[in-house]
Amino acid sequence: MTPARCFATAFRQCCTNMACAPLFMAAIVLYAAYYCWPYMAQLPDHIHCAIVDADGTALSRRLVMEFRATPDLNVLQVTRDRAEAILAMKAGEVSAIVEIPARFAEDVAAAVPTAVTLTANGAYLVGGRMATAGASGPLKAAADKAVAAWLAEQGATAAKLALMESEAPGLVTVPAYNTISGYLNFAVPIVFVIVFQTLMCAGFGMLFNAWYMAKERPEVLDAALASPACLFAVQMTVFFLCLFWTLFIEGPVFYLQGINSFQNIPGTLGMCAAFSLAVSSLASLLALLLGPTHFVMQAVVLSALPCVFISGNLWPTQNIPLFFQALGALFPSTPGSYGIIRASQCGADAAEAAPYMAHLLLLALLYFLLACLVARHQARKVAAAQTASV
């Protein structure tokens, strides 16, 4: 059987064999339709926070007292060292930092614009946004109460106090890690990369499982086991399917959902192609290893959620143990998500995308070579079994 016939047979099976066709042909469409729906979150209470009092005046101490008395806030630390509060946030002890700047009382008394700063950890997608939204209101109320009382003690006129009470609340949110502070634009492009990897590996594994379990062994399977060229031709079916769906999501789906994409067209095309090649190689290896068993779907699907977090996109890399960082580097979804997002959503140039593309190409070569070794071993077992039966 020639490589061309192997490709044609495998592609037709991917589109028609009910063991894998729903994963290859329908699952991405359903994800595109339902996964991008607006993300809703409730506001939390009892937000753990640290207070950095860089002013050290009677007004700042009054502010700290008001913040401590606020039911929605749980003040765990009061310090004058901002670095100490940041360490507490990185350690996960607090989810927000309230900072009273130096000369705060002096600026308030002189009517110089100043502000109490609320910092949330945007590396934690939902937690950062919820902490900002949940704490800003109580903080503003407590700060207004403390400042008004202090100004009254300083002899402020009733007219000035009334004017301050009538002013609209001032809140400026400046996200740092998740710069658009949203789920749709930030998380959906990341998660879709893991979705592609999961569906392609699961679908190809199910196809091989159907071939292995068939009463009459398909010719295409024997050809793939016997020839690296035929195995590569069969693998190319997954490559083209993955590339098609990746470009479909990055193109019309993200356009209709209002998500930035194709900011760098050549870079996006190159990253999607490299990612699809690495995924197809991994799918070949897993299909050969797990295809003779009934555990393809279980093994692949169970790895999906861990891949989301060990990639370092939604969970800060600094909080991931080195072992899991190394493990994440073995999945195409890790460099794929970094590279595709930077090229498509952020418009990264070739120099920025090159390390991720090189990583993907290296994984593609590694997994294909391993797949060839597994195929060769299985071909020898088949030949030995046939010789023994004769």
Side-chain angles (χ1 to χ4, degrees):
M1 199 172 191
T2 64
R5 283 191 60 197
C6 287
F7 174 82
T9 302
F11 192 84
R12 184 175 64 253
Q13 287 283 302
C14 287
C15 298
T16 59
N17 192 315
M18 291 308 295
C20 61
L23 298 175
F24 284 135
M25 307 309 297
I28 295 294
V29 177
L30 294 176
Y31 267 104
Y34 293 106
Y35 184 59
C36 296
W37 279 6
Y39 184 80
M40 304 297 292
Q42 294 181 349
L43 295 181
D45 56 8
H46 302 296
I47 299 168
H48 299 314
C49 67
I51 297 178
V52 178
D53 182 5
D55 192 32
T57 61
L59 175 57
S60 67
R61 289 190 290 272
R62 186 187 292 269
L63 280 175
V64 172
M65 291 176 60
E66 291 292 343
F67 292 156
R68 285 188 181 276
T70 301
D72 295 318
L73 303 178
N74 183 17
V75 178
L76 299 181
Q77 182 185 66
V78 178
T79 178
R80 301 198 67 170
D81 186 1
R82 188 171 187 269
E84 184 179 343
I86 292 175
L87 287 176
M89 175 177 284
K90 288 182 176 180
E93 298 171 4
V94 299
S95 57
I97 297 175
V98 180
E99 186 171 0
I100 305 171
R103 302 181 59 184
F104 179 74
E106 181 179 337
D107 290 340
V108 169
V112 175
T114 186
V116 174
T117 304
L118 170 64
T119 302
N121 191 349
Y124 298 95
L125 175 64
V126 179
R129 185 176 61 179
M130 291 171 68
T132 302
S136 57
L139 282 173
K140 178 67 170 59
D144 285 349
K145 180 179 178 182
V147 170
W150 184 79
L151 287 175
E153 292 177 358
Q154 302 301 311
T157 63
K160 183 176 181 179
L161 293 176
L163 178 63
M164 190 191 74
E165 291 179 358
S166 66
E167 289 178 347
L171 174 64
V172 178
T173 302
V174 184
Y177 183 87
N178 174 9
T179 54
I180 39 76
S181 191
Y183 184 86
L184 180 66
N185 292 275
F186 181 69
V188 167
I190 297 170
V191 176
F192 258 118
V193 175
I194 285 88
V195 170
F196 293 136
Q197 176 179 277
T198 302
L199 292 178
M200 294 301 115
C201 290
F204 207 46
M206 293 300 293
L207 176 62
F208 267 70
N209 180 255
W211 286 350
Y212 279 113
M213 301 303 170
K215 292 182 179 180
E216 186 175 341
R217 194 177 181 88
E219 185 181 357
V220 63
L221 176 59
D222 288 331
L225 295 180
S227 167
C230 289
L231 177 61
F232 185 74
V234 172
Q235 175 184 313
M236 283 297 96
T237 61
V238 178
F239 168 76
F240 285 112
L241 287 168
C242 186
L243 180 60
F244 170 79
W245 286 119
T246 304
L247 296 178
F248 172 75
I249 294 295
E250 290 288 336
V253 172
F254 282 178
Y255 173 79
L256 292 174
Q257 296 292 340
I259 302 174
N260 285 339
S261 62
F262 278 97
Q263 300 300 301
N264 181 336
I265 295 177
T268 302
L269 294 174
M271 285 303 311
C272 289
F275 171 71
S276 299
L277 184 61
V279 167
S280 66
S281 293
L282 177 59
S284 291
L285 177 60
L286 293 177
L288 290 167
L289 290 173
L290 300 175
T293 73
H294 292 287
F295 302 105
V296 177
M297 188 65 72
Q298 294 91 323
V300 174
V301 172
L302 285 175
S303 69
L305 191 58
C307 283
V308 173
F309 293 103
I310 64 177
S311 68
N313 285 294
L314 298 183
W315 189 266
T317 305
Q318 66 189 21
N319 290 359
I320 302 175
L322 290 177
F323 170 78
F324 291 107
Q325 292 185 41
L327 182 63
L330 297 177
F331 289 96
S333 55
T334 298
S337 59
Y338 275 103
I340 292 174
I341 289 166
R342 278 158 177 74
S344 184
Q345 275 72 49
C346 303
D349 56 24
E352 294 177 272
Y356 306 108
M357 189 174 295
H359 188 168
L360 288 168
L361 294 176
L362 181 62
L363 289 179
L365 178 61
L366 172 64
Y367 289 134
F368 180 70
L369 292 176
L370 291 175
C372 289
L373 291 176
V374 175
R376 183 179 180 183
H377 175 70
Q378 292 186 7
R380 287 178 175 176
K381 288 179 63 176
V382 171
Q386 291 175 348
T387 302
S389 64
V390 172

